[in-house]
Amino acid sequence: MKAAVLPSGSRSLEIQELDLPPLPPNQVKVKVKACGICGSDIHFILHGKMKATYSPCVPGHETSGVVAEIGDQVTKFKLGDRVVVSAGTSCGKCKHCLAGRENLCENIGVIGFNQRGGFAEFIQTEERYLHLLPEEIPFAEGAILADAVSTPYHAIKYQGELKAGESVAIIGCGGLGIHAVAIAKALGAAKIYAIDIDSGSLENAKAYGADELILVEKNMQVGKVLKEKSGGIDLLCDFTGYMPNIESSVRAMNRGGRIVLVGIGRNKLEIPMPFFLIERQIRITGSYGSDRRAIPELIQLYQEKKLNLTKSISGIHKLEDTNEFLHALEEKKGNPIRFIINPELS
Ligand SMILES: [Zn+2]
Ligand SMILES: [Zn+2]
C-alpha cells in the first residue's frame, strides 16, 4: 500500500510502498477514506517532539474508512461497514480499561505514534478501536470525531461536568478548542466566552455558537478581562497550555466552578489566593483524550442535529500533499480548522 512514512530522524513525510502484515484474528483492515491533520502531528512530524515506538512510522490518528477485511475473531464488523478509528490506544486489561475509562490506561498510546496510523491507503487495527459511522456523516467529519471533537467532548462533558444553563469560557479556539465551543453549545451552555489571540479563530468560534469573543494579546493574562466581561464563569476549558491564563482565571470562577486543562504547557502552575479556591470549592482538573463513550455520543448529537461539523473541514487533499498542509496548519494559512487527507485522491 501507499503510505506517508516518517523516516527516523526526519522532519518530513515520504511517500513509500509498504507491505501490509497478515491480519491478526482480532483486527480489522480499513480502507482509509479520510484522515485529519492534528496540531499534535505538527509537534510529532515537523518538530520531532515525540518519538515513534515502531518502524516504519505512519502518522495520522483521525481516521475513517470502510472495512476491507476482518480477522477470524472479529464479531462486530463486516465488510463494507463505514467506521471511525479511535485515536487512543490502550491495554484493554488494566482496571481503568475494564471500567471503560481507556484514557486513564496505564499503557495509553496514540495510533500513529505507537502503531501505523491513517496517512496511508489502509489501516489495520484492533476491532475494539472501531466505531460504526452512519451513512449521513461524511467520512471527513467522521474522521475528526476521533480526536478534534472527542477530546474536547470528554473535557467539557465528563471532566468539566457541564450542566445546561451554565456559563463557559474556552481559552484557545484552534482545532480542539473550536469544537469545545460547538459542544458547549450542543449541551446547552447559557453563555459561551471564546478567548484567543487570533481574530480568525474567534470568527470560527462565533460561527460555532460563541456569544462573546475576547481577543487578547499574546502572553496576556485573561482572567481579569474574563471576570469583567462575564461576572463569573462556571466552566473554563484551556486549550493553550499557557498557565498564567489559569492562575489569573481562578478569580473569574463562580462558586463550584471547574477549570479543565487540555492544552499541554511546560511552565508551572501557581495558584494565587488558595483560600479563594478552597472556600468556593473550585476544582482544577486535567483532561486527556476520551474514552469509549465519546464517539457514539457525538454521533448521536450529530444525528439529533445538535452538532454540525461542516465548517470544520477546511479542505480535502491527497496523500502526497500531507507535508504541505502540515505547514499550512502551522501557519494558519486560510484560517483552517481541519485539513483532511484522502489517500484515494490522486
Ligand atoms: Zn490529535
Ligand atoms: Zn489499560
Side-chain angles (χ1 to χ4, degrees), residues 140-210:
E141 292 172 43
I144 66 170
L145 295 178
D147 180 21
V149 193
S150 52
T151 295
Y153 182 76
H154 185 78
I156 296 265
K157 166 125 194 215
Y158 290 110
Q159 296 302 89
E161 297 178 3
L162 174 67
K163 291 172 275 302
E166 288 191 319
S167 60
V168 177
I170 305 297
I171 307 179
C173 298
L176 269 67
I178 186 68
H179 295 110
V181 171
I183 288 154
K185 188 82 184 168
L187 298 180
K191 199 147 189 198
I192 303 170
Y193 298 83
I195 300 132
D196 206 289
I197 55 171
D198 178 68
S199 56
S201 299
L202 289 179
E203 270 170 49
N204 292 340
K206 187 167 187 198
Y208 270 159

Side-chain angles (χ1 to χ4, degrees), residues 32-325:
V32 177
K33 297 280 188 178
C35 187
I37 301 180
C38 177
S40 61
D41 290 320
I42 296 173
H43 301 301
F44 180 46
I45 299 165
L46 301 184
H47 300 167
K49 287 259 160 71
M50 305 89 120
K51 285 236 174 318
T53 58
Y54 69 105
S55 176
C57 167
V58 180
H61 56 264
E62 292 187 346
T63 315
S64 67
V66 173
V67 173
E69 191 184 335
I70 56 170
D72 293 341
Q73 291 164 9
V74 169
T75 57
K76 296 199 192 88
F77 299 92
K78 58 181 192 313
L79 296 187
D81 278 347
R82 303 171 89 249
V83 291
V84 185
V85 184
S86 296
T89 62
S90 52
C91 76
K93 298 180 202 109
C94 72
K95 65 178 183 190
H96 301 295
C97 284
L98 293 176
R101 302 288 310 274
E102 292 85 354
N103 56 342
L104 287 175
C105 177
E106 320 264 354
N107 264 309
I108 192 164
V110 180
I111 282 187
F113 296 23
N114 62 1
Q115 58 173 270
R116 285 183 187 179
F119 294 148
E121 285 179 290
F122 293 95
I123 184 170
Q124 288 185 177
T125 195
E126 288 177 48
E127 172 182 32
R128 65 195 176 99
Y129 297 140
L130 303 189
H131 302 269
L132 270 180
L133 183 67
E135 205 65 49
E136 68 259 41
I137 305 184
F139 285 112
E141 292 172 43
I144 66 170
L145 295 178
D147 180 21
V149 193
S150 52
T151 295
Y153 182 76
H154 185 78
I156 296 265
K157 166 125 194 215
Y158 290 110
Q159 296 302 89
E161 297 178 3
L162 174 67
K163 291 172 275 302
E166 288 191 319
S167 60
V168 177
I170 305 297
I171 307 179
C173 298
L176 269 67
I178 186 68
H179 295 110
V181 171
I183 288 154
K185 188 82 184 168
L187 298 180
K191 199 147 189 198
I192 303 170
Y193 298 83
I195 300 132
D196 206 289
I197 55 171
D198 178 68
S199 56
S201 299
L202 289 179
E203 270 170 49
N204 292 340
K206 187 167 187 198
Y208 270 159
D211 299 287
E212 278 232 35
L213 310 179
I214 304 177
L215 183 68
V216 291
E217 277 163 42
K218 207 172 177 167
N219 296 344
M220 182 174 145
Q221 298 191 5
V222 303
K224 194 159 178 275
V225 54
L226 192 57
K227 172 95 185 159
E228 279 164 16
K229 294 233 178 198
S230 70
I233 295 292
D234 297 308
L235 169 60
L236 179 140
C237 263
D238 177 77
F239 291 87
T240 68
Y242 181 64
M243 293 304 157
N245 282 338
I246 304 306
E247 291 156 12
S248 69
S249 293
V250 169
R251 280 189 152 290
M253 301 307 293
N254 286 333
R255 304 180 78 79
R258 288 87 61 208
I259 296 176
V260 183
L261 311 185
V262 187
I264 299 167
R266 307 211 177 271
N267 39 3
K268 62 178 171 184
L269 175 62
E270 286 172 346
I271 302 301
M273 313 276 293
F275 180 72
F276 189 88
L277 185 100
I278 294 162
E279 194 262 338
R280 296 190 158 219
Q281 300 188 54
I282 294 162
R283 205 161 76 216
I284 301 181
T285 180
S287 189
Y288 184 80
S290 63
D291 59 38
R292 67 177 72 168
R293 296 171 289 188
I295 292 176
E297 289 176 13
L298 285 164
I299 288 174
Q300 196 182 336
L301 282 177
Y302 192 106
Q303 290 178 316
E304 290 167 355
K305 307 218 182 305
K306 290 180 183 157
L307 186 67
N308 182 318
L309 299 172
T310 316
K311 291 187 280 288
S312 297
I313 309 304
S314 309
I316 302 180
H317 304 281
K318 53 182 199 275
L319 193 60
E320 288 77 2
D321 294 340
T322 313
N323 285 319
E324 181 186 339
F325 285 93

